[in-house]
Amino acid sequence: MAFAARSLLRASRPAAVRTQIRLSSTSAKTLSLKERLAELIPQEIENVKATRAAHGKKSFGPVVVDQLYGGMRGLPALIWDGSVLDAEEGIRFRGKTIPECQELLPKAPGGSEPLPEGLFWLLVTGEIPTQEQVQALSKEWAARAALPEFVEEILDRCPPTLHPMSQFSLAVTALNHNSAFAKAYQEGINKKDYWGPTFEDSMDLIAKLPNIAGRIYRNVFGQGKLPAIDLNKDYSANLATLLGFGENPAFVELLRLYITIHSDHEGGNVSAHTGKLVGSALSDPFLSYAAALNGLAGPLHGLANQEVLIWLRKMQSKIGEDATDEAVKEYIWSTLKAGQVVPGYGHAVLRKTDPRYTAQREFALKHLPDDKMFKLVGQIYNLVPDILLEAGKAKNPWPNVDAHSGVLLTHYGLDQMQFYTVLFGVSRAFGVAAQLIWDRALGAPLERPKSYSTAAIQKIFKDKS
């Protein structure tokens, strides 16, 4: 794609020159994100046309029957521009690794972690924004953050026993009431202009998520009245304040890192694919992302870090906080012998330690090296891979992102595990929204894969060797 071609060109230049170009690519004239996107869309439309003309009739991998029965695992079937997940290398956002994003993306004054605003700019444009552009995006999201009064009332009327993710999905669905895309579609907008109102809805969606998350958290866990959004603070700082942790600079930094690394994980995971699928029906970004949240709420997707924390606490309660390696090994083996998995280890695609795990581990080493639970996580990291390999239980015995995040949140006092997936949901909106904008800009069609019955499969291969 055009972005890939530019990446190859930049790769041939010295590192210092590449950095200069990245940071100055839009600084001659300060453009808003929407203005820069409007410049990029015509180029990308031509690039997609050229790619299809050159490669559209070529085979792109075989399909075997086991993939149909196995949840389409590994089946190449989607275009997703924001990120690509490599089995050995891990995730890259628009071609950049997590360490590169940590280095290149703008930071808050005095901070060391990337601002999620910059990551969203990168996901949408493929470019590193300037500090000024990121600050403008922070202010724009803060200005869009207010919830309609009826959405506040919906959340306030939810019983605290209703799972936070159910409340989250309910509120996001209700935001469809003011959808710019739904209104424009009813008024007969031209297809080539679909991206404009989709962009506006996506910006509103992301901007309003902290207020939704904060209201759910305070309603369910009794934290009192919700404070106002501060127009002079960045997205993560406002979210931290809404959750009641805004006075802790380290927690704010954690949120900046957390949102960045959870923002996107290519298009095949349940939440991302669901958002893209529902969006292909021209459902607006609110309806599309509400559907994605319902997928994220499942135990096999967004609840994994909660399961990790439960398992760690059970281990501590049984063998103590400062257990020996032998005691930890024995507990791990008892988990496996009971027919259970070691939560947080293994991944559907990755075949190495998840770079998102590594980023969180480095954060912990810097900010909470003596935390008892973090020490246990590190101890497990040194022991579990060899045990899983010996047991033959995993193609990938290495930890994924969920093996660490709950421990960090707990350290700072956010120990209500039922809420963790809501934070994941705030983060994943960045990747899903960016792709929805591009799907509308490029005229992506309705998704409609072909399905077969078991009887049909049997008939196809009858009398064939």
Side-chain angles (χ1 to χ4, degrees), residues 101-244:
C101 288
Q102 288 178 291
E103 176 189 354
L104 295 172
L105 291 175
K107 320 291 191 298
S112 59
E113 298 298 343
L115 289 168
E117 291 89 330
L119 191 279
F120 184 67
W121 189 292
L122 175 64
L123 290 175
V124 172
T125 69
E127 300 169 346
I128 299 295
T130 64
Q131 193 78 36
E132 185 179 11
Q133 287 168 328
V134 164
Q135 289 172 349
L137 194 52
S138 295
K139 289 183 180 298
E140 183 171 358
W141 281 346
R144 292 173 179 251
L147 298 178
E149 187 175 344
F150 81 94
V151 175
E152 294 180 343
E153 291 175 358
I154 288 173
L155 289 172
D156 291 345
R157 290 178 66 86
C158 287
T161 52
L162 182 64
H163 196 283
M165 281 299 284
S166 299
Q167 298 188 39
F168 197 17
S169 173
L170 186 65
V172 170
T173 299
L175 290 175
N176 153 266
H177 181 270
N178 297 326
S179 167
F181 179 82
K183 180 181 178 182
Y185 186 82
Q186 288 298 320
E187 293 174 350
I189 186 174
N190 191 299
K191 288 183 179 181
K192 68 180 179 62
D193 296 323
Y194 280 175
W195 74 269
T198 300
F199 177 89
E200 296 300 329
D201 280 351
S202 297
M203 291 285 281
D204 278 342
L205 169 66
I206 293 172
K208 295 179 189 304
L209 294 183
N211 260 332
I212 293 174
R215 203 170 196 91
I216 293 170
Y217 184 75
R218 288 172 180 266
N219 284 349
V220 173
F221 303 110
Q223 300 296 319
K225 186 178 178 181
L226 198 70
I229 291 283
D230 188 335
L231 294 175
N232 295 312
K233 287 186 177 180
D234 64 84
Y235 190 82
S236 304
N238 270 314
L239 176 57
T241 298
L242 292 168
L243 298 175

Side-chain angles (χ1 to χ4, degrees), residues 25-328:
S25 59
T26 56
S27 60
K29 176 190 174 185
T30 300
L31 299 175
S32 71
L33 178 57
K34 191 172 186 180
E35 289 169 336
R36 182 60 184 142
L37 179 59
E39 290 184 344
L40 293 171
I41 286 173
Q43 304 169 30
E44 192 61 16
I45 289 173
E46 293 305 313
N47 183 53
V48 170
K49 287 180 180 178
T51 302
R52 294 188 67 174
H55 307 294
K57 304 302 181 183
K58 296 177 182 178
S59 176
F60 195 49
V63 178
V64 298
V65 173
D66 275 347
Q67 287 178 300
L68 275 66
Y69 284 100
M72 299 187 290
R73 183 67 57 85
L75 183 67
L78 297 169
I79 293 294
W80 192 271
D81 290 316
S83 63
V84 174
L85 178 60
D86 182 84
E88 299 299 328
E89 186 179 53
I91 194 70
R92 278 181 178 264
F93 302 122
R94 289 289 191 182
K96 293 175 176 56
T97 65
I98 286 176
E100 287 172 337
C101 288
Q102 288 178 291
E103 176 189 354
L104 295 172
L105 291 175
K107 320 291 191 298
S112 59
E113 298 298 343
L115 289 168
E117 291 89 330
L119 191 279
F120 184 67
W121 189 292
L122 175 64
L123 290 175
V124 172
T125 69
E127 300 169 346
I128 299 295
T130 64
Q131 193 78 36
E132 185 179 11
Q133 287 168 328
V134 164
Q135 289 172 349
L137 194 52
S138 295
K139 289 183 180 298
E140 183 171 358
W141 281 346
R144 292 173 179 251
L147 298 178
E149 187 175 344
F150 81 94
V151 175
E152 294 180 343
E153 291 175 358
I154 288 173
L155 289 172
D156 291 345
R157 290 178 66 86
C158 287
T161 52
L162 182 64
H163 196 283
M165 281 299 284
S166 299
Q167 298 188 39
F168 197 17
S169 173
L170 186 65
V172 170
T173 299
L175 290 175
N176 153 266
H177 181 270
N178 297 326
S179 167
F181 179 82
K183 180 181 178 182
Y185 186 82
Q186 288 298 320
E187 293 174 350
I189 186 174
N190 191 299
K191 288 183 179 181
K192 68 180 179 62
D193 296 323
Y194 280 175
W195 74 269
T198 300
F199 177 89
E200 296 300 329
D201 280 351
S202 297
M203 291 285 281
D204 278 342
L205 169 66
I206 293 172
K208 295 179 189 304
L209 294 183
N211 260 332
I212 293 174
R215 203 170 196 91
I216 293 170
Y217 184 75
R218 288 172 180 266
N219 284 349
V220 173
F221 303 110
Q223 300 296 319
K225 186 178 178 181
L226 198 70
I229 291 283
D230 188 335
L231 294 175
N232 295 312
K233 287 186 177 180
D234 64 84
Y235 190 82
S236 304
N238 270 314
L239 176 57
T241 298
L242 292 168
L243 298 175
F245 299 89
E247 298 303 315
N248 189 329
F251 183 84
V252 175
E253 279 284 274
L254 173 60
L255 276 190
R256 291 168 182 148
L257 175 64
Y258 182 98
I259 294 173
T260 296
I261 65 176
H262 285 81
S263 63
D264 206 29
H265 214 229
E266 77 172 21
N269 68 78
V270 170
S271 56
H273 185 196
T274 302
K276 183 177 175 67
L277 171 64
V278 175
S280 79
L282 297 186
S283 299
D284 63 65
F286 304 111
L287 296 180
S288 300
Y289 196 59
L293 287 172
N294 290 332
L296 186 64
L300 295 184
H301 192 6
L303 294 186
N305 64 352
Q306 180 176 329
E307 294 180 350
V308 169
L309 200 54
I310 291 172
W311 184 72
L312 291 173
R313 287 179 172 175
K314 285 182 179 178
M315 183 189 299
Q316 280 190 331
S317 68
K318 184 169 183 179
I319 66 176
E321 286 190 336
D322 297 300
T324 64
D325 284 356
E326 288 305 314
V328 174

